[in-house]
Amino acid sequence: KAYPLSKDETGKVITVIEIIVDITERRKLEEQLRQSQKMEAVGRLAGGIAHDFNNILTAIIGYSSLLLGKIKEDDPNRHMAQMILESGERAAQLTQSLLAFSRKQIILLKTVDINEIIRKVERLLQRVIGEDIDLKIITPSRRLSGHTPLNLRGGWGELIVKADAGQIEQALMNLATNARDAMPNGGELIIGTETVTMDEGFVTAHGYGKPGKYALISVSDTGIGMDDVTRLRIFEPFFTTKEVGKGTGLGLSIVYGVVKQHDGFINVYSEPGKGTTFKIYLPITKEMVEEKRPAESFMETGGAETILVAEDDEAVRRLTKSVLSQAGYTVIEAVDGEDAVNKFRENKDKIDLLLFDVVMPRMDGKAAYDRIAEIRPDIKAIFASGYTQNHVAKKGVLGEGFEFIYKPFSPSALLKKVREVIGKK
Ligand code: ADP
Ligand code: MG
């Protein structure tokens, strides 16, 4: 290769032009790519186990609750049923975490103000971190010392995004829990929000992102921080540096899954001894916050209506049937979506509510519902699932207005949901 050198007449080199290519940028992009591919693979694995697992757990939790209801208080065998129920619930929590990470959890998107969510969990966060750690919350409206003039609302005080508030709260809790663990001798936890615009420059410089406007939530602590080896692995499920029994390694996996499911981005800045900052970017939407409806309470749990239950898992179907019949409902069973459509045709005028599993062979719950809605557009329906598949509902998001119950559900949760939906106008 000829280097661009110039020599004098004696042949002595007088100038050399060197070209140095800065590859740090490319390294960063490669690292980002490897990282996201790894996360995809682990996510698919985790999500794969969870579906069947959820059906099994629904049966375990459901039948042990029913059993508990039949065993007398003073029966010495009672604690065995109690133990089955408790273990089932612990296992259910674990699957939920895995589903959250693998983005197979169904999320219900509503238009919400991020600042309001943060204000709402403030007390809870304070309780999580304890008294030795100071919690500082810096949201745009607070910068205006609490008295936001009306004409600045929506421009300053509010960060409107489409989000599942419960999931965002969960993510904040997990970050606060980690911050607490990183500050055993006290310190500061600072949560701030602001609006940022990502442009092409940002995307190139950071190796992630998509141009647009975002609500940025930063969560910083003054704790022990972490080195690069740790930092690269923190979002992996079951990765923990904590002692056995202290850490599960699922906290940040959940945060990661939640952020991704909201079409957002998460990044972490940290150095040993210098604290840690997590930055979460959620796409801003322009819509205004929905009016809050007052939470209604439903004391009633039973009824005399007729419910069409479609569920391919036999144990779950039989459980659902016995829970509903014991509460007074008439239950018509279907083993899949096609069967459900047929059973509906046969009993058209009797059926008051559909209770459909989302994922079923032959025809999934949503497709069966669509068919039935052609016959009776105002039919009420509840979908049940522990996870979702992309073809059923894009990215696990059922549109607003659909009623949903997570598997595994307890008999009382099922009855409450059924009553709530039947009671709706
Ligand atoms: P767990 O808290 O159960 O260990 P997480 O997924 O929540 O699991 O966190 C994984 C790991 O990331 C932790 O074990 C810790 O090493 C590191 N980590 C997370 N948050 C922080 C933080 N704020 N400061 C320092 N290290 C952290
Ligand atoms: Mg944690």
Side-chain angles (χ1 to χ4, degrees):
K1 221 178 189 172
Y3 288 95
L5 340 149
S6 51
K7 302 174 183 176
D8 63 12
E9 53 281 14
T10 64
K12 225 174 85 191
V13 175
I14 50 169
T15 55
V16 182
I17 299 171
E18 281 189 24
I19 299 164
I20 297 162
V21 182
D22 182 0
I23 61 162
T24 44
E25 207 61 30
R26 200 193 302 163
R27 280 251 172 80
K28 209 180 328 173
L29 288 178
E30 278 171 5
E31 184 197 287
Q32 283 281 346
L33 183 65
R34 251 202 318 278
Q35 191 70 0
S36 69
Q37 283 171 338
K38 183 174 72 184
M39 298 301 275
E40 272 307 312
V42 183
R44 267 201 305 279
L45 182 70
I49 328 172
H51 174 226
D52 288 338
F53 225 74
N54 260 320
N55 281 337
I56 297 169
L57 289 171
T58 303
I60 293 177
I61 292 174
Y63 282 115
S64 51
S65 317
L66 289 181
L67 197 59
L68 265 177
K70 296 201 186 302
I71 302 178
K72 293 201 182 65
E73 292 285 345
D74 56 356
D75 191 314
N77 290 325
R78 198 179 153 85
H79 81 280
M80 290 196 251
Q82 190 78 52
M83 289 312 291
I84 298 173
L85 180 59
E86 276 169 27
S87 306
E89 274 163 357
R90 280 224 313 277
Q93 245 167 36
L94 193 66
T95 11
Q96 275 315 312
S97 306
L98 285 176
L99 283 168
F101 166 67
S102 64
R103 286 172 264 155
K104 286 259 162 70
Q105 181 158 280
I106 294 207
I107 59 170
L108 299 170
L109 294 184
K110 291 230 168 86
T111 312
V112 293
D113 177 6
I114 284 294
N115 290 327
E116 210 174 295
I117 296 181
I118 292 176
R119 283 193 280 271
K120 232 181 68 198
V121 288
E122 184 173 353
R123 281 239 213 118
L124 212 58
L125 295 178
Q126 184 69 64
R127 196 147 6 113
V128 166
I129 58 180
E131 281 166 4
D132 294 340
I133 297 170
D134 273 334
L135 176 62
K136 287 215 170 75
I137 293 191
I138 309 171
T139 57
S141 59
R142 295 219 176 165
R143 287 198 187 106
L144 294 175
S145 65
H147 292 288
T148 318
L150 267 176
N151 60 355
L152 286 180
R153 291 246 178 128
W156 276 90
E158 293 173 356
L159 287 177
I160 311 295
V161 298
K162 280 224 174 251
D164 185 319
Q167 301 268 325
I168 302 292
E169 286 168 19
Q170 173 78 62
L172 290 170
M173 292 286 290
N174 292 3
L175 292 174
T177 311
N178 285 342
R180 177 203 60 201
D181 293 348
M183 298 185 283
N185 303 314
E188 253 183 22
L189 174 63
I190 305 157
I191 301 179
T193 58
E194 61 192 292
T195 321
V196 293
T197 306
M198 279 191 197
D199 51 17
E200 298 290 349
F202 180 101
V203 177
T204 325
H206 291 78
Y208 67 87
K210 214 169 89 189
K213 255 187 143 184
Y214 290 83
L216 166 61
I217 310 171
S218 13
V219 180
S220 305
D221 64 56
T222 54
I224 53 171
M226 57 188 118
D227 57 21
D228 285 351
V229 181
T230 301
R231 188 178 52 82
L232 282 173
R233 299 193 60 194
I234 51 172
F235 296 117
E236 284 174 30
F238 304 112
F239 174 81
T240 179
T241 56
K242 295 169 192 172
E243 302 164 36
V244 181
K246 280 238 168 102
T248 59
L250 285 171
L252 289 178
S253 318
I254 293 172
V255 176
Y256 181 88
V258 167
V259 172
K260 286 289 153 191
Q261 212 167 13
H262 284 82
D263 284 329
F265 301 95
I266 181 163
N267 204 355
V268 57
Y269 305 84
S270 189
E271 268 177 66
K274 297 240 170 88
T276 303
T277 297
F278 285 91
K279 291 196 169 187
I280 295 175
Y281 300 84
L282 302 174
I284 293 255
T285 123
K286 293 204 180 64
E287 289 174 57
M288 294 309 288
V289 192
E290 282 166 15
E291 281 297 312
K292 273 178 234 99
R293 263 175 282 140
E296 291 163 65
S297 61
F298 296 88
M299 302 309 288
E300 239 186 312
T301 52
E305 286 87 352
T306 299
I307 304 173
L308 175 60
V309 174
E311 164 67 63
D312 58 312
D313 189 288
E314 201 196 331
V316 177
R317 190 175 64 245
R318 277 179 27 201
L319 166 73
T320 309
K321 185 183 171 163
S322 45
V323 170
L324 293 173
S325 342
Q326 280 181 28
Y329 295 105
T330 303
V331 175
I332 299 172
E333 290 175 80
V335 298
D336 59 42
E338 236 173 62
D339 190 24
V341 176
N342 293 335
K343 292 270 162 62
F344 185 84
R345 289 216 175 92
E346 291 161 21
N347 301 279
K348 238 196 319 270
D349 304 320
K350 274 190 257 161
I351 292 168
D352 301 294
L353 175 75
L354 311 176
L355 176 58
F356 283 8
D357 187 20
V358 174
V359 184
M360 290 186 290
R362 276 194 286 282
M363 190 189 289
D364 65 54
K366 178 67 171 45
Y369 165 81
D370 288 340
R371 290 279 187 85
I372 290 170
E374 282 170 20
I375 309 171
R376 270 245 314 264
D378 62 336
I379 187 76
K380 288 172 176 153
I382 300 172
F383 292 98
S385 184
Y387 88 133
T388 179
Q389 278 180 338
N390 290 346
H391 72 273
V392 175
K394 193 172 152 261
K395 281 197 184 149
V397 184
L398 272 178
E400 279 178 38
F402 282 104
E403 297 292 341
F404 190 80
I405 185 164
Y406 287 103
K407 273 190 205 170
F409 45 74
S410 66
S412 61
L414 175 65
L415 290 174
K416 196 166 152 241
K417 188 82 200 174
V418 164
R419 209 51 246 161
E420 186 187 314
V421 174
I422 287 183
K424 263 192 188 148
K425 290 278 132 48

